[in-house]
Amino acid sequence: MRVFLLDADVIIWCAENNKLDALFKNKKIKIPQIIYEQVEHYTVPETHEKKTIVLRKYVEQDSLEIVDNPVTEEIGKIRNSYKKCPQLAEIHDGESECIAILLRDKECKFCTGDIDAMKVIGFWGLSEQAISLEELVGKIRNLRYDFTKDCMKKYLNKGSALMVQSYNEN
């Protein structure tokens, strides 16, 4: 069974749109501890309202595993890529952990709506291990553009192009 890694924005959007059950249905999902903590208690940026997402039932159903395994060597490599390619924006630690897991485990796929993270995935040649929310749960009405297959493809390609560009410059 393929394992899916999720970014905080995916979980929060699904929770706010009553799609958590669809997200976790018949899937094995892992998230780093740092992402779990981000989504467990988060603040809505527009309203500053504090909210809680309870994921315990998915852990109990073995649909969700919380991993506390910062893959430090790979995370170091990812952070060094910003030095090689200043056009890449730095990403959050949880996203770095997920991408580090991708580098180690080719069976994992990472779902994010963060455009900068998509570029980093493409930069590292991991495009085959990226998956949009649209692909993960199917067509959803009013899905944000950054969760679509088209958006994912566009920014993975931009990241791949940055890798080629930085390779040619060095």
Side-chain angles (χ1 to χ4, degrees):
M1 177 180 247
R2 175 156 276 150
V3 175
F4 299 97
L5 304 165
L6 303 179
D7 199 355
D9 60 346
V10 171
I11 298 168
I12 291 169
W13 188 90
C14 287
E16 290 176 347
N17 290 277
N18 298 313
K19 300 292 182 193
L20 278 179
D21 287 340
L23 180 64
F24 288 98
K25 185 178 181 179
N26 300 323
K27 295 176 194 77
K28 181 63 179 171
I29 294 176
K30 292 182 181 184
I31 59 174
Q33 180 70 34
I34 193 167
I35 289 178
Y36 179 78
E37 291 167 4
Q38 283 178 321
V39 300
E40 188 177 37
H41 302 288
Y42 72 99
T43 303
V44 179
E46 299 81 21
T47 64
H48 303 290
E49 179 184 359
K50 296 197 182 301
K51 292 194 171 191
T52 300
I53 299 173
V54 179
L55 297 173
R56 189 175 326 111
K57 83 173 189 178
Y58 303 107
V59 172
E60 291 169 357
Q61 295 169 354
D62 287 329
S63 300
L64 175 62
E65 179 182 343
I66 312 303
V67 290
D68 190 15
N69 182 17
V71 192
T72 52
E73 181 182 333
E74 285 85 355
I75 289 175
K77 289 178 185 177
I78 292 165
R79 289 193 176 130
N80 283 337
S81 61
Y82 308 126
K83 293 175 189 164
K84 284 199 272 184
C85 183
Q87 298 92 327
L88 287 176
E90 286 196 43
I91 57 176
H92 300 287
D93 289 342
E95 294 161 343
S96 293
E97 281 190 41
C98 287
I99 294 170
I101 292 169
L102 294 181
L103 288 167
R104 276 194 165 171
D105 187 349
K106 300 298 179 200
E107 292 300 310
C108 288
K109 285 194 171 243
F110 181 38
C111 181
T112 183
D114 185 301
I115 288 169
D116 292 325
M118 292 175 200
K119 289 181 197 174
V120 173
I121 293 166
F123 183 86
W124 279 95
L126 300 168
S127 296
E128 295 297 316
Q129 291 176 260
I131 187 167
S132 67
L133 181 58
E134 179 180 41
E135 293 172 286
L136 194 57
V137 297
K139 294 282 184 191
I140 299 173
R141 191 176 320 172
N142 301 321
L143 186 65
R144 287 186 352 210
Y145 174 70
D146 53 338
F147 290 133
T148 65
K149 183 178 178 178
D150 289 343
C151 180
M152 178 70 74
K153 182 178 178 181
K154 176 180 178 179
Y155 289 100
L156 290 172
N157 288 340
K158 285 189 178 208
S160 295
L162 287 172
M163 175 52 156
V164 170
Q165 179 184 335
S166 71
Y167 181 76
N168 289 336
E169 290 173 356
N170 294 327

